[in-house]
Each structure stands twice: as C-alpha cells, then as structure tokens.
Amino acid sequence: MRNQTVSTGAGVDQPRRPRRLRRRRGILGLLEWLLVLCSLGVVGAAVGVMALIMIERDFALRLYPNLSVRGVHIGGMRVNAAQNTLNRAHQSFLANPVAIQYGEQSWRPSAADLGISLDFAGALNTAYTFGRNDTRMENLRTAAAIWEQGVDLPLSLKIDQTVMQAYLLDIAAAIDTAPENADLRLDGPNIIVTPERWGTQVLVDEMLAEITAATQNLTPQSITLRTRTLEPTIRDTAVAPVAAELETLLAGSIVLSSAEAGCIRGCRWEWSPAHIANWISLERTSAQADRPLYNISIDQSAIRSALLPIAATVRQEGTLPRVAWNNGNVQITAAGETGLGLDANATMSQISAALAGNTRAIELPLGAIPPPVTESNLAALGIIGQVGAGASSFANSEEYRITNIRAGARQMNGLLIPPGASFSFNDNLGPVTAERGFAEGYAIIDNRTQKEWGGGLCQVSTTVFRAAFWGGLPITERHEHSFRISWYEELGEPPGLDAAIFTGVYDLRFVNDSPNWLLMESYVDLQHQRLSIALYGTPTNREVAMSHELLERTPAPSEPVYIDDPEAPRGSLRQSDTARGGLQVNVYRTIRQGDALVSQDTFFTEFKPWPDIFVRGSR
C-alpha cells in the first residue's frame, strides 16, 4: 500500500522525514506515474486501433466523406447511391445535350443518339479506390486529408464520332440539295428556260467539332446547323442572252411575196415560227470562259431547200432559141429571150436580216436569167442525128391553105424539145392571126366545112404526128379527122395516119423520152407541094414498123344537106362538101430496140360517112 501525502488542513505542520527517505519516495512516485502513463498510452492506442478498425469497417461499402465528382457531392454514399446521384445530376444533359436549329426546323437528339456517354463507373471507381490503395497509415493520412480538404474528381465524357456522324448524315439527307444549273432548250417554237437553283450542304465535319466542343461543360446547348450554299455551274446570266437571241429568231412569221411573179392574186408564202424552229439547232458546249455556253446554228441548206419550190413558182423561164440543123452543124438562128428568176443570195441575206430582228416582210428579189439554151451549151444538147421524119402532100391545095401551111410550118421550124418534156402542137403554134401570117380559109368545124382562120393547119399537125410516129416517140394525145381526107394518103400512107387539131379543143402531144434534146425542123417544098417535118437528136436505134387494118366501111349518105348562109345573097347555092363513105381503121406501130420489144401501139380512127353539103344564101 502506497503512502500518499494528504493535506488535512491549512497551518498544521507534519513531522519531517529524513532526506534519503524522501528521495526514494520521489523516484518511486515518478516511476508510478510513468507506469500509469504507459498504461494509459497502451489503452489509448488500443482504443485508437479499435476506433480505426471500426471506421474502416463502416466505410468498407461507402465512399469516404467529402468526395465529389465534377461538383456533385457523393461522400459517404454507397456506390449505387452515388451512381444514382450522378445520373440525376446529369439527367437533362443526357436527355438532350444539344438542340440543333436550322431555320424553323430543330432537332433534339439524346446523348445516346449522338454517341455521347459519361463515364460514371470510372469516376466512382476512382472515388472508391481513393485512400484505399496504400498502407494503413498512408490511407489514414489520405482519408484525413479528404476529410479536412475534400476532393472533386473529374468525370470523363466519351464521344463515338461514328454514331454522331451517322446522326448528322441523317439530318444532311433531309437538308442537302444539289444545285441545279440553268438550262435552255427548244420544243418546236417554244423556248424552255430552266432557272438556276442554288444547293445546300450540311457541313458535317464542322458540326462534329462544334458539338464535341459544346458538350464539354455537360450542360445543354443550342447550336445552329452549319451549312454552305452550293453555286450552280451554269448561271441564269449565261442562259439569258441565248434565250433572248432565240426569241429574236422566233419573233414571228416570215412573209415572202412577189408582185412580179405570175401568180394568181400575187405570190405569197408564210413561214411560221414552228417552221423556222426546224432550221434552228441549239447545242451545249463545254463551259469555257472564252466562248459562249450555247451555240445557235441555223441550217442554211434547209432554208435554201424551203426556197426551192418558191423559186420554181416565181421563175419565168426565158424562151428557147430557134435552132437550125444546118447539116449537122447546129447553130442558133434566133436567140431566146432572158427569163426572170429568184436571186437566191439576195433572198438569203434578207432572210438572215429578218431572223436577226429586221422586217419579216420580204419582197422577193428577182433577177434576169439567161435563156435555157445559148451558144455556150448548145453543143451539149446531144443533137447529132435524125431521130424521125414525116411528110405529107398538099398538092392542089387552095392558096389560103398553102399560106396557113407555111405559117404553121414556120412555127414548128427550129423548135427545141427538152428531154422528158411533153410537146404540145397548139402551145407551139400560138395564136392563129393575120399578124402572124395566117389566112382565113375552110376548116372542118361542127362536122362540116366552113370558113375559119387557119384552115389547113391540120396538114402541119398530121406531118408532125408522122415524124413522132416514125421516131418511136410516145404519142399522148391524137385526134382523127371527122371524115376521110384524100390528100393525107397521096404519098402512099394508109388511112388513119393523120392528126386533127383545133386550138383550145384538140391538140397533138408527144413525149421526148430520149435522154437528150430534140430539134424539130420543117421544110415546105412549094415545087412538089410537100411538107416535111424532121426530128434531130441522139439516135435511139429504135426500129419502127407500121401496119394497118380496115375494120368496117360505111356508105356515104344519099341525101344532101342544105345550110343557110346569112352572108350570102338569097338564091345563091354553093356545094361545100362532097359525099363520101365512112371507115373504121386501126394503124399499128411496133417499136423494137435490138431484140427487145419497146412497145406496140394501136391508133384507131373512125371516119364518119359524109353527105353532100350545100350552102345557100339567105341574106
């Protein structure tokens, strides 16, 4: 039992001890105090250890206090609770990190739509392992530091740019429009202009960068969709002048007329814009700064082709010359007259001016054209030999008849017949007048012989018919006489080898089916009273054979016919026609060329029976 000094009260003196005893007791007391202190230290350490163990056990499933992730406090929470806290804190960001605006359109994608995610697991893992990965004392010091100062851990933002790009490409598919070039085309006379249209392109790469930057602060942002306009390659300004040129070309109809041409009520042609459009070609060229984008071409040959029928209509051919055979040395005896024809070059110039915007009413320019045959091309006509010949006798004819035969033969002399042309006796004979050398005489008119201008001209037409007959030429029109005339058989010809004409009613026609020109010459032999017609050209080597067949004879009427003549004195009587019988006859022509049969022709003639006709005066 330890002795302690106890103070009992004030002013009472205790007995004094020896000094040695007092020193011993002082050492012992110190030792006792040290022992007590050591005991207390061991107990305190044990209590501290127990307390630390209790703290570690308590925070085994929880985060240390005073921890936060990007400003969100999660200290002392279990990991799941901390996860939920972080989710709630960033819920609005994850639901709609950005709003994309474009005009009146907007898109509000979620973070998942854009491939954006927050690494909550990584942040919580870092928070949980903070102060747990070192020695107990180090961890204790770390935990104490966290407790005292706090720690704010970062939160990683992850972006899958493939997902974000795919989302932006979907937007681009709805927004992107390709530029459309201005264009121009012709639909007949209609000018179709397509105006330019600018395009739009979403700038996906720039949007990727902007969204990535905007989401770094983890708060919802509004972003304007970045686009650029795409310029068309061909602008309206390139098309406009071409369209204007086309409008000028197709501004209206072109009217061509000619007061000089021999058309009934004048000559007039109209080319509509639809007609003109057929001549215009519009061609795109490659875009180059030094040349226009379109080429407009006008088919000049098409315009000339359109002028051909007009030129043929207004053309007034010059007359053919009169030509002499001259024993094979063919020469012009009377030059042909010049004609009138379209001046094609001047007309084309006026049409070009009209298309360029000048007046569209064109008076066709006409100019003189040389005769079809001149000395320059005479030798090329192919007149080198006789092709056919005919003859007839006019023996014992009256003077008026000889006069008309000579006048008619003169009209046939020196005539040129182009290849392929149809010869008309009446056209080449022309007007039968006294001024042209014809005389009044008797002719068969209305089935009787009476006075008429040109009596005896059938002698000429008959002789021309015989020349064409023996030339093997196609006879396209021929008329027989009403009754049989003896002088057409005086040279041994069969009945029916004649051809009657009457101006404006009966004509004689044949065709020059040879490849070259024909020349007709007439010869009047007054001494032998014979008329000859010859055709010269390029011999065809045709062999012509003739035969005839009498089909039927009819006796002459026995009763005479009397006709009153108010110009003859009353009581006078004159016989104008002698009775003769009727006859039906066929004349056959066979044409061969070498061994080939070219044609077989039959010329039928019916001569009517003819009575005695007497003319009595009735004046």
Side-chain angles (χ1 to χ4, degrees), residues 170-230:
D170 285 341
I171 295 178
I175 299 299
D176 283 356
T177 55
E180 290 187 7
N181 290 329
D183 195 16
L184 180 66
R185 64 183 179 88
L186 273 179
D187 182 9
N190 301 314
I191 304 168
I192 311 299
V193 177
T194 302
E196 67 182 37
R197 191 178 79 175
W198 288 63
T200 302
Q201 182 184 32
V202 175
L203 299 175
V204 174
D205 289 343
E206 291 188 17
M207 287 299 296
L208 281 170
E210 186 165 351
I211 292 174
T212 299
T215 55
Q216 295 303 310
N217 61 5
L218 304 186
T219 58
Q221 302 288 323
S222 180
I223 297 175
T224 300
L225 184 68
R226 291 186 176 272
T227 62
R228 69 170 179 174
T229 55
L230 303 176

Short mmCIF file of all heavy atoms in Angstrom, two decimals, residues 170-230:
data_model
loop_
_atom_site.label_atom_id
_atom_site.label_comp_id
_atom_site.label_asym_id
_atom_site.label_seq_id
_atom_site.Cartn_x
_atom_site.Cartn_y
_atom_site.Cartn_z
N ASP A 170 -27.96 11.82 -91.31
CA ASP A 170 -29.41 11.72 -91.47
C ASP A 170 -30.03 13.10 -91.63
O ASP A 170 -30.94 13.31 -92.45
CB ASP A 170 -30.03 11.01 -90.27
CG ASP A 170 -29.77 9.50 -90.29
OD1 ASP A 170 -29.44 8.99 -91.38
OD2 ASP A 170 -29.90 8.85 -89.24
N ILE A 171 -29.54 14.06 -90.83
CA ILE A 171 -30.01 15.44 -90.99
C ILE A 171 -29.64 15.96 -92.37
O ILE A 171 -30.44 16.60 -93.05
CB ILE A 171 -29.43 16.33 -89.88
CG1 ILE A 171 -29.96 15.90 -88.51
CG2 ILE A 171 -29.74 17.80 -90.15
CD1 ILE A 171 -29.39 16.69 -87.35
N ALA A 172 -28.40 15.68 -92.78
CA ALA A 172 -27.93 16.16 -94.09
C ALA A 172 -28.78 15.61 -95.21
O ALA A 172 -29.05 16.30 -96.20
CB ALA A 172 -26.46 15.77 -94.28
N ALA A 173 -29.23 14.36 -95.06
CA ALA A 173 -30.06 13.76 -96.12
C ALA A 173 -31.36 14.53 -96.31
O ALA A 173 -31.90 14.59 -97.41
CB ALA A 173 -30.36 12.30 -95.77
N ALA A 174 -31.86 15.13 -95.22
CA ALA A 174 -33.10 15.90 -95.30
C ALA A 174 -32.85 17.34 -95.75
O ALA A 174 -33.76 17.98 -96.29
CB ALA A 174 -33.81 15.90 -93.94
N ILE A 175 -31.67 17.84 -95.54
CA ILE A 175 -31.38 19.25 -95.82
C ILE A 175 -30.62 19.42 -97.13
O ILE A 175 -30.89 20.35 -97.89
CB ILE A 175 -30.58 19.87 -94.66
CG1 ILE A 175 -31.39 19.80 -93.37
CG2 ILE A 175 -30.19 21.30 -94.97
CD1 ILE A 175 -32.70 20.53 -93.42
N ASP A 176 -29.69 18.52 -97.40
CA ASP A 176 -28.82 18.70 -98.57
C ASP A 176 -29.65 18.74 -99.85
O ASP A 176 -30.53 17.90 -100.08
CB ASP A 176 -27.81 17.56 -98.67
CG ASP A 176 -26.66 17.72 -97.68
OD1 ASP A 176 -26.65 18.74 -96.98
OD2 ASP A 176 -25.81 16.81 -97.61
N THR A 177 -29.39 19.69 -100.69
CA THR A 177 -29.97 19.76 -102.03
C THR A 177 -28.86 20.11 -103.00
O THR A 177 -28.05 21.01 -102.73
CB THR A 177 -31.08 20.81 -102.12
OG1 THR A 177 -30.58 22.07 -101.68
CG2 THR A 177 -32.29 20.42 -101.29
N ALA A 178 -28.83 19.40 -104.09
CA ALA A 178 -27.80 19.67 -105.10
C ALA A 178 -28.18 20.93 -105.87
O ALA A 178 -29.35 21.22 -106.07
CB ALA A 178 -27.68 18.49 -106.06
N PRO A 179 -27.20 21.69 -106.31
CA PRO A 179 -27.52 22.87 -107.14
C PRO A 179 -28.03 22.41 -108.50
O PRO A 179 -27.65 21.35 -109.00
CB PRO A 179 -26.16 23.58 -107.25
CG PRO A 179 -25.15 22.49 -107.08
CD PRO A 179 -25.75 21.50 -106.12
N GLU A 180 -28.92 23.20 -109.07
CA GLU A 180 -29.44 22.90 -110.40
C GLU A 180 -28.99 24.00 -111.35
O GLU A 180 -29.18 25.19 -111.08
CB GLU A 180 -30.96 22.80 -110.41
CG GLU A 180 -31.48 21.58 -109.69
CD GLU A 180 -32.99 21.43 -109.85
OE1 GLU A 180 -33.58 22.21 -110.62
OE2 GLU A 180 -33.55 20.53 -109.20
N ASN A 181 -28.39 23.56 -112.46
CA ASN A 181 -27.91 24.52 -113.44
C ASN A 181 -29.07 25.15 -114.19
O ASN A 181 -30.10 24.52 -114.42
CB ASN A 181 -26.99 23.82 -114.44
CG ASN A 181 -25.68 23.40 -113.82
OD1 ASN A 181 -25.18 24.05 -112.91
ND2 ASN A 181 -25.11 22.32 -114.32
N ALA A 182 -28.89 26.39 -114.57
CA ALA A 182 -29.82 26.99 -115.52
C ALA A 182 -29.70 26.24 -116.83
O ALA A 182 -28.61 25.77 -117.20
CB ALA A 182 -29.49 28.47 -115.70
N ASP A 183 -30.81 26.08 -117.51
CA ASP A 183 -30.79 25.30 -118.75
C ASP A 183 -31.72 25.95 -119.77
O ASP A 183 -32.58 26.77 -119.42
CB ASP A 183 -31.23 23.86 -118.48
CG ASP A 183 -30.88 22.93 -119.63
OD1 ASP A 183 -30.06 23.32 -120.48
OD2 ASP A 183 -31.43 21.82 -119.70
N LEU A 184 -31.52 25.53 -121.01
CA LEU A 184 -32.27 26.11 -122.11
C LEU A 184 -32.46 25.04 -123.18
O LEU A 184 -31.52 24.32 -123.51
CB LEU A 184 -31.50 27.31 -122.69
CG LEU A 184 -32.13 28.06 -123.86
CD1 LEU A 184 -33.39 28.76 -123.41
CD2 LEU A 184 -31.14 29.08 -124.41
N ARG A 185 -33.69 24.94 -123.69
CA ARG A 185 -33.93 24.01 -124.79
C ARG A 185 -35.08 24.52 -125.64
O ARG A 185 -35.85 25.39 -125.22
CB ARG A 185 -34.23 22.60 -124.28
CG ARG A 185 -35.50 22.47 -123.47
CD ARG A 185 -35.68 21.06 -122.94
NE ARG A 185 -36.88 20.92 -122.13
CZ ARG A 185 -38.07 20.62 -122.61
NH1 ARG A 185 -38.21 20.40 -123.92
NH2 ARG A 185 -39.12 20.51 -121.83
N LEU A 186 -35.16 23.98 -126.84
CA LEU A 186 -36.23 24.34 -127.76
C LEU A 186 -37.20 23.18 -127.89
O LEU A 186 -36.79 22.03 -128.09
CB LEU A 186 -35.66 24.67 -129.14
CG LEU A 186 -35.21 26.12 -129.38
CD1 LEU A 186 -34.64 26.25 -130.79
CD2 LEU A 186 -36.34 27.10 -129.19
N ASP A 187 -38.48 23.47 -127.75
CA ASP A 187 -39.53 22.49 -128.02
C ASP A 187 -40.37 23.06 -129.13
O ASP A 187 -41.34 23.79 -128.92
CB ASP A 187 -40.37 22.27 -126.76
CG ASP A 187 -41.46 21.22 -126.97
OD1 ASP A 187 -41.43 20.55 -128.03
OD2 ASP A 187 -42.33 21.08 -126.10
N GLY A 188 -39.97 22.72 -130.38
CA GLY A 188 -40.60 23.38 -131.51
C GLY A 188 -40.28 24.87 -131.44
O GLY A 188 -39.13 25.27 -131.26
N PRO A 189 -41.29 25.73 -131.54
CA PRO A 189 -41.03 27.17 -131.44
C PRO A 189 -41.00 27.68 -130.01
O PRO A 189 -40.82 28.88 -129.79
CB PRO A 189 -42.21 27.78 -132.21
CG PRO A 189 -43.33 26.81 -131.97
CD PRO A 189 -42.70 25.44 -131.91
N ASN A 190 -41.19 26.80 -129.03
CA ASN A 190 -41.26 27.20 -127.63
C ASN A 190 -39.86 27.17 -127.00
O ASN A 190 -39.15 26.16 -127.12
CB ASN A 190 -42.20 26.30 -126.85
CG ASN A 190 -43.61 26.32 -127.41
OD1 ASN A 190 -44.15 27.39 -127.69
ND2 ASN A 190 -44.20 25.16 -127.59
N ILE A 191 -39.50 28.25 -126.32
CA ILE A 191 -38.21 28.35 -125.65
C ILE A 191 -38.42 27.98 -124.18
O ILE A 191 -39.13 28.67 -123.45
CB ILE A 191 -37.65 29.78 -125.77
CG1 ILE A 191 -37.55 30.18 -127.25
CG2 ILE A 191 -36.29 29.88 -125.10
CD1 ILE A 191 -37.28 31.66 -127.45
N ILE A 192 -37.83 26.88 -123.77
CA ILE A 192 -38.00 26.38 -122.41
C ILE A 192 -36.75 26.75 -121.61
O ILE A 192 -35.66 26.25 -121.88
CB ILE A 192 -38.21 24.85 -122.39
CG1 ILE A 192 -39.30 24.44 -123.40
CG2 ILE A 192 -38.57 24.39 -120.98
CD1 ILE A 192 -40.66 25.06 -123.14
N VAL A 193 -36.95 27.64 -120.61
CA VAL A 193 -35.83 28.09 -119.76
C VAL A 193 -36.01 27.50 -118.37
O VAL A 193 -37.07 27.65 -117.76
CB VAL A 193 -35.78 29.62 -119.68
CG1 VAL A 193 -34.66 30.06 -118.73
CG2 VAL A 193 -35.58 30.22 -121.07
N THR A 194 -35.00 26.81 -117.89
CA THR A 194 -34.98 26.31 -116.51
C THR A 194 -34.07 27.21 -115.70
O THR A 194 -32.88 27.31 -115.98
CB THR A 194 -34.46 24.86 -116.46
OG1 THR A 194 -35.29 24.02 -117.28
CG2 THR A 194 -34.47 24.34 -115.03
N PRO A 195 -34.62 27.93 -114.69
CA PRO A 195 -33.77 28.85 -113.93
C PRO A 195 -32.79 28.10 -113.03
O PRO A 195 -33.02 26.94 -112.67
CB PRO A 195 -34.78 29.66 -113.10
CG PRO A 195 -35.97 28.76 -112.98
CD PRO A 195 -36.02 27.94 -114.24
N GLU A 196 -31.74 28.80 -112.65
CA GLU A 196 -30.75 28.23 -111.74
C GLU A 196 -31.36 28.00 -110.36
O GLU A 196 -32.33 28.67 -109.98
CB GLU A 196 -29.55 29.18 -111.60
CG GLU A 196 -29.92 30.48 -110.90
CD GLU A 196 -28.76 31.43 -110.81
OE1 GLU A 196 -27.95 31.51 -111.77
OE2 GLU A 196 -28.67 32.13 -109.79
N ARG A 197 -30.82 27.05 -109.60
CA ARG A 197 -31.22 26.86 -108.21
C ARG A 197 -29.97 26.51 -107.41
O ARG A 197 -29.26 25.58 -107.75
CB ARG A 197 -32.26 25.75 -108.08
CG ARG A 197 -32.89 25.71 -106.69
CD ARG A 197 -33.95 24.65 -106.58
NE ARG A 197 -33.36 23.33 -106.40
CZ ARG A 197 -34.06 22.22 -106.18
NH1 ARG A 197 -35.38 22.28 -106.17
NH2 ARG A 197 -33.46 21.06 -106.02
N TRP A 198 -29.75 27.30 -106.34
CA TRP A 198 -28.58 27.07 -105.50
C TRP A 198 -28.84 25.87 -104.60
O TRP A 198 -29.97 25.62 -104.18
CB TRP A 198 -28.28 28.30 -104.66
CG TRP A 198 -27.73 29.42 -105.48
CD1 TRP A 198 -28.35 30.09 -106.47
CD2 TRP A 198 -26.41 29.97 -105.38
NE1 TRP A 198 -27.53 31.04 -107.02
CE2 TRP A 198 -26.32 31.00 -106.36
CE3 TRP A 198 -25.31 29.72 -104.58
CZ2 TRP A 198 -25.17 31.75 -106.54
CZ3 TRP A 198 -24.17 30.49 -104.76
CH2 TRP A 198 -24.10 31.48 -105.73
N GLY A 199 -27.79 25.15 -104.28
CA GLY A 199 -27.90 23.98 -103.42
C GLY A 199 -27.47 24.29 -102.00
O GLY A 199 -26.96 25.37 -101.68
N THR A 200 -27.72 23.34 -101.11
CA THR A 200 -27.34 23.46 -99.69
C THR A 200 -26.62 22.18 -99.27
O THR A 200 -27.05 21.08 -99.64
CB THR A 200 -28.58 23.66 -98.81
OG1 THR A 200 -29.28 24.84 -99.24
CG2 THR A 200 -28.20 23.80 -97.35
N GLN A 201 -25.55 22.35 -98.49
CA GLN A 201 -24.79 21.21 -97.99
C GLN A 201 -24.52 21.39 -96.51
O GLN A 201 -24.05 22.44 -96.07
CB GLN A 201 -23.46 21.07 -98.73
CG GLN A 201 -22.65 19.86 -98.29
CD GLN A 201 -21.30 19.80 -98.97
OE1 GLN A 201 -20.71 20.83 -99.28
NE2 GLN A 201 -20.81 18.60 -99.21
N VAL A 202 -24.89 20.39 -95.72
CA VAL A 202 -24.60 20.40 -94.28
C VAL A 202 -23.10 20.14 -94.08
O VAL A 202 -22.55 19.18 -94.64
CB VAL A 202 -25.44 19.35 -93.53
CG1 VAL A 202 -25.04 19.29 -92.07
CG2 VAL A 202 -26.93 19.68 -93.66
N LEU A 203 -22.47 20.98 -93.28
CA LEU A 203 -21.03 20.83 -93.01
C LEU A 203 -20.87 19.85 -91.84
O LEU A 203 -20.77 20.25 -90.67
CB LEU A 203 -20.40 22.18 -92.70
CG LEU A 203 -20.51 23.21 -93.84
CD1 LEU A 203 -19.98 24.56 -93.39
CD2 LEU A 203 -19.77 22.71 -95.08
N VAL A 204 -20.86 18.58 -92.13
CA VAL A 204 -20.86 17.53 -91.11
C VAL A 204 -19.61 17.60 -90.25
O VAL A 204 -19.68 17.52 -89.00
CB VAL A 204 -21.00 16.14 -91.77
CG1 VAL A 204 -20.85 15.03 -90.74
CG2 VAL A 204 -22.34 16.03 -92.48
N ASP A 205 -18.45 17.78 -90.84
CA ASP A 205 -17.22 17.81 -90.06
C ASP A 205 -17.20 18.98 -89.08
O ASP A 205 -16.78 18.84 -87.92
CB ASP A 205 -16.01 17.88 -90.99
CG ASP A 205 -15.80 16.58 -91.76
OD1 ASP A 205 -16.37 15.56 -91.32
OD2 ASP A 205 -15.08 16.60 -92.77
N GLU A 206 -17.68 20.15 -89.53
CA GLU A 206 -17.70 21.30 -88.64
C GLU A 206 -18.71 21.08 -87.52
O GLU A 206 -18.49 21.50 -86.37
CB GLU A 206 -18.04 22.56 -89.43
CG GLU A 206 -16.92 22.99 -90.38
CD GLU A 206 -17.18 24.34 -91.00
OE1 GLU A 206 -18.04 25.08 -90.47
OE2 GLU A 206 -16.52 24.66 -92.01
N MET A 207 -19.83 20.46 -87.83
CA MET A 207 -20.82 20.17 -86.79
C MET A 207 -20.27 19.18 -85.77
O MET A 207 -20.53 19.29 -84.57
CB MET A 207 -22.10 19.63 -87.43
CG MET A 207 -22.93 20.67 -88.16
SD MET A 207 -23.50 22.00 -87.06
CE MET A 207 -24.56 21.08 -85.94
N LEU A 208 -19.52 18.19 -86.22
CA LEU A 208 -18.89 17.25 -85.29
C LEU A 208 -18.00 17.99 -84.29
O LEU A 208 -18.06 17.76 -83.07
CB LEU A 208 -18.05 16.23 -86.07
CG LEU A 208 -18.78 15.08 -86.74
CD1 LEU A 208 -17.84 14.32 -87.66
CD2 LEU A 208 -19.36 14.13 -85.69
N ALA A 209 -17.19 18.90 -84.81
CA ALA A 209 -16.27 19.64 -83.94
C ALA A 209 -17.04 20.55 -82.99
O ALA A 209 -16.71 20.66 -81.80
CB ALA A 209 -15.30 20.45 -84.79
N GLU A 210 -18.09 21.21 -83.50
CA GLU A 210 -18.82 22.15 -82.66
C GLU A 210 -19.60 21.43 -81.56
O GLU A 210 -19.63 21.88 -80.40
CB GLU A 210 -19.76 23.00 -83.52
CG GLU A 210 -20.43 24.10 -82.73
CD GLU A 210 -21.06 25.16 -83.62
OE1 GLU A 210 -20.84 25.12 -84.84
OE2 GLU A 210 -21.79 26.01 -83.07
N ILE A 211 -20.25 20.32 -81.90
CA ILE A 211 -20.99 19.57 -80.88
C ILE A 211 -20.03 19.01 -79.84
O ILE A 211 -20.30 19.03 -78.62
CB ILE A 211 -21.82 18.46 -81.54
CG1 ILE A 211 -22.94 19.06 -82.38
CG2 ILE A 211 -22.41 17.52 -80.48
CD1 ILE A 211 -23.72 18.04 -83.19
N THR A 212 -18.90 18.53 -80.30
CA THR A 212 -17.90 17.99 -79.36
C THR A 212 -17.45 19.07 -78.37
O THR A 212 -17.35 18.84 -77.16
CB THR A 212 -16.69 17.45 -80.14
OG1 THR A 212 -17.13 16.38 -80.99
CG2 THR A 212 -15.63 16.92 -79.19
N ALA A 213 -17.21 20.28 -78.89
CA ALA A 213 -16.78 21.37 -78.00
C ALA A 213 -17.90 21.82 -77.08
O ALA A 213 -17.69 22.10 -75.89
CB ALA A 213 -16.29 22.55 -78.85
N ALA A 214 -19.15 21.87 -77.62
CA ALA A 214 -20.27 22.37 -76.83
C ALA A 214 -20.65 21.45 -75.69
O ALA A 214 -21.19 21.89 -74.67
CB ALA A 214 -21.48 22.59 -77.74
N THR A 215 -20.36 20.17 -75.80
CA THR A 215 -20.77 19.21 -74.77
C THR A 215 -19.75 19.05 -73.66
O THR A 215 -19.99 18.31 -72.69
CB THR A 215 -21.04 17.84 -75.41
OG1 THR A 215 -19.88 17.43 -76.14
CG2 THR A 215 -22.24 17.90 -76.35
N GLN A 216 -18.64 19.75 -73.76
CA GLN A 216 -17.60 19.55 -72.76
C GLN A 216 -18.01 20.04 -71.36
O GLN A 216 -17.55 19.51 -70.35
CB GLN A 216 -16.31 20.27 -73.18
CG GLN A 216 -15.68 19.71 -74.45
CD GLN A 216 -15.37 18.22 -74.35
OE1 GLN A 216 -14.74 17.77 -73.37
NE2 GLN A 216 -15.85 17.46 -75.33
N ASN A 217 -18.89 21.07 -71.28
CA ASN A 217 -19.28 21.56 -69.96
C ASN A 217 -20.49 20.81 -69.40
O ASN A 217 -21.01 21.17 -68.33
CB ASN A 217 -19.56 23.07 -70.00
CG ASN A 217 -20.70 23.39 -70.97
OD1 ASN A 217 -21.34 22.50 -71.52
ND2 ASN A 217 -20.93 24.68 -71.15
N LEU A 218 -20.96 19.81 -70.11
CA LEU A 218 -22.04 18.91 -69.66
C LEU A 218 -23.34 19.64 -69.34
O LEU A 218 -24.13 19.20 -68.50
CB LEU A 218 -21.59 18.11 -68.43
CG LEU A 218 -20.30 17.29 -68.58
CD1 LEU A 218 -20.06 16.44 -67.35
CD2 LEU A 218 -20.35 16.45 -69.83
N THR A 219 -23.58 20.76 -70.04
CA THR A 219 -24.86 21.45 -69.91
C THR A 219 -25.48 21.56 -71.29
O THR A 219 -24.76 21.75 -72.28
CB THR A 219 -24.66 22.85 -69.32
OG1 THR A 219 -23.77 23.60 -70.15
CG2 THR A 219 -24.13 22.77 -67.89
N PRO A 220 -26.80 21.42 -71.41
CA PRO A 220 -27.46 21.51 -72.72
C PRO A 220 -27.14 22.82 -73.42
O PRO A 220 -27.12 23.88 -72.78
CB PRO A 220 -28.94 21.37 -72.39
CG PRO A 220 -28.97 20.63 -71.08
CD PRO A 220 -27.78 21.11 -70.33
N GLN A 221 -26.90 22.71 -74.75
CA GLN A 221 -26.54 23.87 -75.56
C GLN A 221 -27.44 23.93 -76.80
O GLN A 221 -27.97 22.93 -77.26
CB GLN A 221 -25.08 23.77 -76.04
CG GLN A 221 -24.06 23.66 -74.93
CD GLN A 221 -23.88 24.96 -74.19
OE1 GLN A 221 -23.92 26.03 -74.80
NE2 GLN A 221 -23.71 24.87 -72.87
N SER A 222 -27.58 25.15 -77.34
CA SER A 222 -28.30 25.34 -78.60
C SER A 222 -27.27 25.67 -79.68
O SER A 222 -26.45 26.59 -79.51
CB SER A 222 -29.32 26.47 -78.47
OG SER A 222 -30.00 26.64 -79.70
N ILE A 223 -27.33 24.94 -80.80
CA ILE A 223 -26.34 25.08 -81.87
C ILE A 223 -27.08 25.29 -83.19
O ILE A 223 -28.07 24.60 -83.49
CB ILE A 223 -25.45 23.83 -81.97
CG1 ILE A 223 -24.64 23.66 -80.68
CG2 ILE A 223 -24.51 23.92 -83.16
CD1 ILE A 223 -23.82 22.39 -80.67
N THR A 224 -26.60 26.23 -83.97
CA THR A 224 -27.15 26.44 -85.31
C THR A 224 -26.48 25.49 -86.28
O THR A 224 -25.25 25.36 -86.31
CB THR A 224 -26.92 27.89 -85.77
OG1 THR A 224 -27.57 28.77 -84.85
CG2 THR A 224 -27.50 28.12 -87.16
N LEU A 225 -27.31 24.80 -87.10
CA LEU A 225 -26.77 23.85 -88.06
C LEU A 225 -25.90 24.58 -89.06
O LEU A 225 -26.33 25.56 -89.69
CB LEU A 225 -27.92 23.13 -88.79
CG LEU A 225 -27.52 22.02 -89.77
CD1 LEU A 225 -26.94 20.82 -89.01
CD2 LEU A 225 -28.70 21.59 -90.62
N ARG A 226 -24.71 24.13 -89.20
CA ARG A 226 -23.77 24.77 -90.13
C ARG A 226 -23.97 24.19 -91.53
O ARG A 226 -23.92 22.98 -91.73
CB ARG A 226 -22.33 24.56 -89.67
CG ARG A 226 -21.98 25.33 -88.40
CD ARG A 226 -20.51 25.21 -88.07
NE ARG A 226 -20.15 26.00 -86.91
CZ ARG A 226 -19.79 27.28 -86.97
NH1 ARG A 226 -19.75 27.87 -88.15
NH2 ARG A 226 -19.47 27.95 -85.87
N THR A 227 -24.19 25.08 -92.48
CA THR A 227 -24.37 24.68 -93.88
C THR A 227 -23.59 25.63 -94.78
O THR A 227 -23.11 26.68 -94.33
CB THR A 227 -25.85 24.71 -94.30
OG1 THR A 227 -26.33 26.05 -94.18
CG2 THR A 227 -26.69 23.78 -93.44
N ARG A 228 -23.50 25.27 -96.00
CA ARG A 228 -22.97 26.18 -97.01
C ARG A 228 -23.82 26.06 -98.26
O ARG A 228 -24.43 25.02 -98.53
CB ARG A 228 -21.52 25.87 -97.34
CG ARG A 228 -21.31 24.57 -98.09
CD ARG A 228 -19.88 24.46 -98.59
NE ARG A 228 -19.66 23.21 -99.29
CZ ARG A 228 -18.52 22.91 -99.93
NH1 ARG A 228 -17.52 23.78 -99.92
NH2 ARG A 228 -18.39 21.76 -100.54
N THR A 229 -23.90 27.15 -99.01
CA THR A 229 -24.66 27.13 -100.27
C THR A 229 -23.73 26.69 -101.40
O THR A 229 -22.54 27.02 -101.41
CB THR A 229 -25.24 28.52 -100.59
OG1 THR A 229 -24.18 29.48 -100.60
CG2 THR A 229 -26.29 28.91 -99.58
N LEU A 230 -24.32 25.96 -102.34
CA LEU A 230 -23.56 25.42 -103.47
C LEU A 230 -24.00 26.16 -104.74
O LEU A 230 -25.18 26.17 -105.09
CB LEU A 230 -23.82 23.92 -103.62
CG LEU A 230 -23.49 23.07 -102.39
CD1 LEU A 230 -23.88 21.62 -102.64
CD2 LEU A 230 -22.01 23.17 -102.04
#
